[in-house]
Amino acid sequence: MAYVKYKELTKYFNFSQEIDKTSLPKYVTDYVDEGEIIYKAYKTLSDRGVFTNDRMVLFDCNPISKSKKIHIIPYNSISTGAVLFKATSGAILLSFDSGYQIRLNFIKMDAQAKTELRKLFSYIMNKKGKKD
């Protein structure tokens, strides 16, 4: 019997701004467990990304087809990561134990936003492999 690995997760998000944790839509907060603490939240025109103390929850929304795909990724499934900085943007590149990869792009960044991205990357990498 042949085994074919399903590998659709390779995805790019282009987050354009950090959003206030208290003003998240209900469909986002519904995926945050009781007792889970939201560390950071970002958005694109239609997508959202929430980083909690245990995992990241990424909402891939397609306004044309009115569909929504939710990726829930525990930090302990991350095997390696890298952070990339360019003049006005940055990215977090993550590989998972399963072989999947994801790229989180952050666009329209100033120096302060890059500092926050570095903190987010450090937070994620310090959480990987740990249970609170």
Side-chain angles (χ1 to χ4, degrees):
M1 180 165 103
Y3 174 73
V4 177
K5 191 171 188 179
Y6 180 72
K7 205 164 174 160
E8 186 185 334
L9 187 63
T10 301
K11 171 73 179 156
Y12 299 91
F13 288 87
N14 292 310
F15 296 118
S16 56
Q17 74 181 88
E18 186 172 353
I19 52 177
D20 183 16
K21 299 178 276 193
T22 60
S23 63
L24 292 168
K26 182 171 177 0
Y27 76 86
V28 172
T29 58
D30 285 346
Y31 286 90
V32 177
D33 290 340
E34 188 175 322
E36 211 169 359
I37 300 165
I38 297 174
Y39 179 69
K40 295 260 185 203
Y42 290 90
K43 73 176 189 172
T44 68
L45 191 57
S46 58
D47 300 338
R48 301 286 185 270
V50 175
F51 300 86
T52 73
N53 55 319
D54 291 326
R55 59 198 175 146
M56 64 182 91
V57 184
L58 305 171
F59 298 85
D60 183 9
C61 303
N62 186 333
I64 296 170
S65 67
K66 297 184 180 176
S67 65
K68 193 181 305 171
K69 185 186 290 185
I70 298 112
H71 302 279
I72 299 173
I73 304 167
Y75 296 134
N76 62 7
S77 68
I78 298 170
S79 58
T80 63
V83 64
L84 170 70
F85 292 105
K86 294 185 178 178
T88 60
S89 65
I92 293 177
L93 300 94
L94 300 172
S95 296
F96 303 101
D97 297 334
S98 61
Y100 295 128
Q101 297 177 334
I102 195 163
R103 180 181 180 118
L104 307 173
N105 295 316
F106 298 83
I107 57 177
K108 301 177 186 172
M109 299 185 79
D110 59 12
Q112 179 60 36
K114 288 179 183 179
T115 300
E116 293 302 314
L117 180 61
R118 182 189 51 77
K119 289 179 184 177
L120 175 62
F121 176 72
S122 294
Y123 184 81
I124 291 170
M125 297 312 289
N126 287 329
K127 286 290 192 175
K128 78 179 193 76
K130 294 181 182 177
K131 280 286 191 191
D132 284 340

